């Protein structure tokens, strides 16, 4: 898990199913050569990126949050890491 301060670096691949508004948001799937990510990312905000393992259908979850440190802590606590 990582906090990506540059929101656009959290996005891999190309727009898939969902909504993409350039320089505003990416909400949905993003296929790329190593699989598919799910992103719920608003522009100009840091994103929490969680690498996922099989059997998850996604390789990464990228989500922006007003308090990314607290969100990352909550995910770590829930996952027991």
């Amino acid at each position: 898990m990582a906090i990506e301060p540059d929101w656009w670096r959290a996005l891999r691949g190309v727009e898939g199913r969902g909504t993409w508004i350039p320089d505003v948001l990416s909400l949905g799937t993003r296929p790329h050569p190593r699989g598919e990510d799910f992103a719920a990312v608003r522009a100009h905000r840091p994103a929490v990126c969680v690498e996922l393992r099989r059997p998850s259908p996604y390789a990464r979850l990228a989500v922006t949050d007003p308090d990314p440190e607290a969100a990352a802590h909550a995910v770590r606590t829930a996952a027991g890491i």
Side-chain angles (χ1 to χ4, degrees):
M1 179 175 349
I3 297 172
E4 178 54 64
D6 298 319
W7 66 276
W8 53 271
R9 290 183 183 265
L11 302 176
R12 303 188 291 192
V14 296
E15 304 88 33
R17 295 177 313 276
T19 301
W20 168 254
I21 303 171
D23 205 35
V24 176
L25 69 87
S26 180
L27 177 61
T29 61
R30 298 187 61 91
H32 53 82
R34 291 177 281 165
E36 187 172 53
D37 295 348
F38 183 84
V41 175
R42 291 184 58 102
H44 312 293
R45 298 181 185 182
V48 177
C49 298
V50 180
E51 301 298 326
L52 303 171
R53 294 185 229 149
R54 296 209 181 272
S56 171
Y58 302 110
R60 176 192 281 173
L61 172 65
V63 179
T64 53
D65 188 276
D67 188 350
E69 290 81 13
H73 177 74
V75 170
R76 284 187 190 102
T77 299
I81 41 178

